[in-house]
Amino acid sequence: MIHFITLSVFPEIFESPLNCSIFKKAQQKEILMFTHFNIRDFSTNKHKKVDDTVYGGGAGMLLMPQPLFDAIDFIKKSYKIDKVIFFSPSGKVLNNSIVKQFASETDKTYLLLCGRYEGIDQRVIDNFVDIEISIGNYILSGGELAALVFIDSVGRFIEGVLGNEESLIEESLTDSLVEYPQYTKPADFRGLKVPETLLSGHHKNILKWKKEKQLELTKVKRPDLL
Ligand code: SAH
């Protein structure tokens, strides 16, 4: 079981994506578990304020240390946290090898810290964060979607989460190549035909065709992978 605990200002963002399809089933099967905390609930301010202006100037607001320190202290007291992950554009860019590394160990509890506005006070990062992860070279308005991308990509590698584990083996990027083109029925749709080899039933030729297509397409679409 992997337990993902999120800490953000908008916990409601997590509800729908994690409560349908394979992630709903994974929770029922107790393979994955999710707990969502709202940073605002830990604010000692009478207006439940969580952000303030940035020292040294600059536009926008920053999540202030008090609610985050208290929230993380509370969560660390309540659960045995293996790693605190902060989602940030300055982090390591998420890729398949990082995903697999996280998915290789079950029985873990991760605290996923999500920024908002201009981000969070550096003292929170210095005191609590074990790893910073970015999901790509662009800026999001909050860390919640990044946390969801992380949960989704790691979660589906955990045994029992996907219906068909073989799909993991055959998938693109698992051997650093993109996927071969795939077709479903009918074999002839409005005159558009499925490649002969795939209909031949000749297992060896099919494997060869798939590998060739993977190489061919990787060269054209994702030369960076080669
Ligand atoms: N001022 C910050 C950006 C803040 S964006 C900067 O220039 O670096 C607000 C929050 O969204 C961040 O704190 C982070 O948690 C999240 N975020 C934005 N872009 C992200 C990305 N590419 N990957 C992961 N998290 C991101």
Side-chain angles (χ1 to χ4, degrees), residues 93-173:
V93 178
L94 190 64
N95 59 30
N96 213 34
S97 99
I98 299 176
V99 166
K100 276 188 178 168
Q101 218 171 305
F102 276 98
S104 67
E105 300 173 283
T106 48
D107 261 326
K108 293 278 173 193
T109 300
Y110 298 120
L111 175 55
L112 311 182
L113 181 53
C114 306
R116 269 276 153 183
Y117 320 116
E118 283 311 309
I120 70 178
D121 189 285
Q122 184 62 36
R123 289 166 288 188
V124 178
I125 300 171
D126 295 343
N127 272 275
F128 296 110
V129 172
D130 297 305
I131 176 171
E132 289 184 61
I133 289 180
S134 162
I135 62 159
N137 296 328
Y138 39 80
I139 306 292
L140 301 164
S141 50
E144 295 85 355
L145 289 176
L148 280 168
V149 167
F150 179 79
I151 292 170
D152 191 302
S153 56
V154 172
R156 63 199 294 287
F157 265 118
I158 309 301
E159 205 187 321
V161 173
L162 281 187
N164 177 5
E165 309 293 335
E166 251 180 47
S167 54
L168 281 178
I169 303 163
E170 285 211 357
E171 223 148 30
S172 62
L173 301 184

Side-chain angles (χ1 to χ4, degrees), residues 14-74:
F14 295 100
E15 290 309 324
S16 162
L18 298 178
N19 287 311
C20 57
S21 183
I22 58 168
F23 291 102
K24 181 181 174 180
K25 288 199 197 109
Q27 289 181 79
Q28 289 163 346
K29 290 196 257 179
E30 295 182 359
I31 302 170
L32 300 179
M33 184 174 161
F34 304 110
T35 307
H36 309 292
F37 286 98
N38 192 336
I39 297 170
R40 206 172 290 284
D41 292 338
F42 294 87
S43 174
T44 52
N45 177 279
K46 67 171 184 271
H47 304 294
K48 295 280 164 202
K49 187 176 151 83
V50 291
D51 57 341
D52 215 324
T53 52
V54 185
Y55 275 122
M61 306 289 270
L62 214 55
L63 288 174
M64 43 199 228
Q66 179 275 314
L68 280 166
F69 267 71
D70 285 347
I72 299 170
D73 279 339
F74 173 82

